[in-house]
Amino acid sequence: MENSNSYISGIGSYLPSQMLTNKDLEKMVDTTDEWIVSRTGIKKRYISAKEEATSDLATKASLSAIEDAGISPNEINMIIVATFTPDMMLPSTATRVQKNIGANNASAFDISAACSGFIYGLSIAHQFIINGTMKNVLVIGAETITKYVDWSDRNTSVLFGDGAGAVVVSQNSNGAKILGFNLGANGNPPREWLMLAGGGSVNRDENILKGKKNFITMNGKEIFKFGVNILPATITTVVKKYGLTNEDIDLVIPHQANRRIIEAAAVILNIPIQKFYINIDRYANTSAASIPIAMFDARKENILNKGDIIVLAGFGAGLTWGSMLIKY
Ligand code: ACO
């Protein structure tokens, strides 16, 4: 039962100051700028400082989103942080953000859905707003992935970057509205396809150190195929579910994992590639942060404008996926 509309009232983003180019990587691992650009579209990425935690990036992105929404932190009812690189296993990164921004009236928790985490978080926020329970929910995607990268592994080290993006989801508006979403998961494929094995209950400390389990490992080919299939599928599902067609879509903001995955999805969907926002060249794959960072940049560049019908779509480890249809 929908009592209210929900809409995106604020967007924020934050990138750490240290940057690493493909040329820098050439000195660290057996790779070339040409290979990385042609296979992924990535040119550079940002790296969090040693003492900089995921909550630090999340805090800065949140303050920028809250300011954009024109509200004060006290008006936030709930904080959701999507991340697979939390500050700690316990307590949550979201409670740290709550403290940092002084959101004294907010509940706070993390969710783990890898690169789909931001879409999952947005769908939760949407529920609390449309059922009338809450007025403002802060949804953050934040990652410090480079702390978990094996810099000697060229299969993964060239792909990831750090950053945070945040949105405020609020009640009612003059026309802007979250229309709906599609979420999915499939835990059947091998976990080894995309895994950060250390830190959980399966691998205690001594095993982590012995087996290099505190690094991301990935079967790039399988994840590539999964991405190329699931991105068009979840977009088609959400667009049809709400009675629209692909022609109605002004802008697609996909998870930024690989430019070639986005290009292949555009062909399958028969949506011109110009309607896909791509900024992977600047940031690499920032997992849960990639979609809100892209939303922030797209708006700054006047590519995302008020009244646009947009689709956000993500996929990632788990396997998980999700899409969100929005009138911005
Ligand atoms: N530099 C130079 N050469 C490389 C590199 C590198 N960084 N990495 C691999 N190669 C080599 C390989 O060794 C291989 O050499 P060979 O032919 O002599 O064996 C050759 O390049 C081709 O390797 P492929 O793995 O076939 O390259 P591919 O075109 O599949 O690209 C990539 C690899 C970029 C990883 C791609 O498979 C991909 O993007 N996969 C999806 C990754 C992804 O989206 N992950 C994140 C999901 S989201 C989340 O939840 C975190």
Side-chain angles (χ1 to χ4, degrees):
M1 183 71 178
E2 295 190 16
N3 296 326
S4 318
N5 283 337
S6 76
Y7 76 107
I8 307 284
S9 60
I11 310 175
S13 123
Y14 179 76
L15 280 310
S17 55
Q18 196 190 335
M19 196 236 286
L20 190 76
T21 65
N22 291 350
K23 284 277 172 209
D24 297 326
L25 270 170
E26 283 181 1
K27 295 175 206 136
M28 298 161 66
V29 68
D30 181 17
T31 191
T32 61
D33 174 50
E34 194 278 327
W35 190 96
I36 302 170
V37 173
S38 65
R39 297 298 179 111
T40 70
I42 299 165
K43 293 181 181 160
K44 59 179 187 174
R45 72 283 295 139
Y46 290 87
I47 313 283
S48 51
K50 195 161 179 282
E51 65 286 355
E52 205 170 23
T54 296
S55 62
D56 295 322
L57 310 189
T59 296
K60 289 180 173 138
S62 298
L63 289 171
S64 121
I66 291 167
E67 189 186 351
D68 189 43
I71 60 172
S72 83
N74 272 327
E75 293 174 84
I76 300 285
N77 306 117
M78 176 179 274
I79 299 171
I80 304 171
V81 174
T83 186
F84 78 90
T85 53
D87 291 12
M88 302 175 182
M89 299 291 285
L90 190 77
S92 71
T93 302
T95 51
R96 194 76 188 163
V97 173
Q98 187 221 23
K99 168 195 171 289
N100 290 349
I101 67 174
N104 300 320
N105 299 310
S107 51
F109 60 96
D110 294 356
I111 55 170
S112 170
C115 305
S116 316
F118 178 74
I119 304 283
Y120 272 60
L122 215 46
S123 73
I124 298 168
H126 175 60
Q127 304 307 314
F128 277 103
I129 303 284
I130 63 171
N131 72 18
T133 316
M134 293 186 178
K135 285 200 160 47
N136 300 296
V137 178
L138 178 63
V139 184
I140 308 153
E143 306 281 9
T144 50
I145 308 174
T146 64
K147 297 188 197 300
Y148 301 93
V149 157
D150 177 356
W151 293 107
S152 68
D153 176 11
R154 68 177 183 174
N155 292 308
T156 53
S157 61
V158 304
L159 300 177
F160 296 101
D162 300 336
V167 300
V168 178
V169 185
S170 300
Q171 203 179 51
N172 296 327
S173 73
N174 297 323
K177 186 180 179 183
I178 292 181
L179 299 167
F181 59 89
N182 168 249
L183 300 178
N186 176 10
N188 290 313
R191 288 195 284 201
E192 288 72 14
W193 279 8
L194 189 47
M195 188 168 78
L196 175 47
S201 61
V202 176
N203 291 295
R204 306 301 296 275
D205 278 0
E206 62 276 21
N207 295 321
I208 294 175
L209 295 174
K210 254 189 261 159
K212 275 196 163 187
K213 293 228 182 315
N214 218 20
F215 295 132
I216 293 173
T217 55
M218 186 179 69
N219 181 330
K221 277 196 196 317
E222 292 299 342
I223 296 296
F224 190 95
K225 282 189 263 174
F226 163 62
V228 167
N229 286 319
I230 205 66
L231 213 45
T234 187
I235 291 171
T236 302
T237 303
V238 79
V239 168
K240 276 198 185 144
K241 192 168 160 187
Y242 295 95
L244 301 184
T245 67
N246 288 353
E247 283 80 57
D248 298 316
I249 305 306
D250 296 305
L251 184 67
V252 182
I253 303 186
H255 169 46
Q256 312 282 316
N258 186 318
R259 175 177 254 282
R260 289 187 298 140
I261 294 177
I262 299 171
E263 286 168 349
V267 171
I268 294 169
L269 286 161
N270 200 20
I271 298 178
I273 189 69
Q274 293 74 16
K275 285 194 172 184
F276 285 74
Y277 186 76
I278 303 176
N279 64 358
I280 191 171
D281 54 322
R282 308 201 274 275
Y283 308 121
N285 179 351
T286 57
S287 191
S290 89
I291 293 174
I293 292 173
M295 291 171 77
F296 182 85
D297 283 8
R299 194 189 51 183
K300 197 166 73 183
E301 294 160 21
N302 298 318
I303 292 169
L304 170 60
N305 296 300
K306 287 273 174 229
D308 284 349
I309 302 285
I310 66 169
V311 184
L312 314 177
F315 63 92
L319 305 167
T320 57
W321 60 91
S323 55
M324 182 75 59
L325 187 63
I326 297 172
K327 184 168 183 211
Y328 181 66

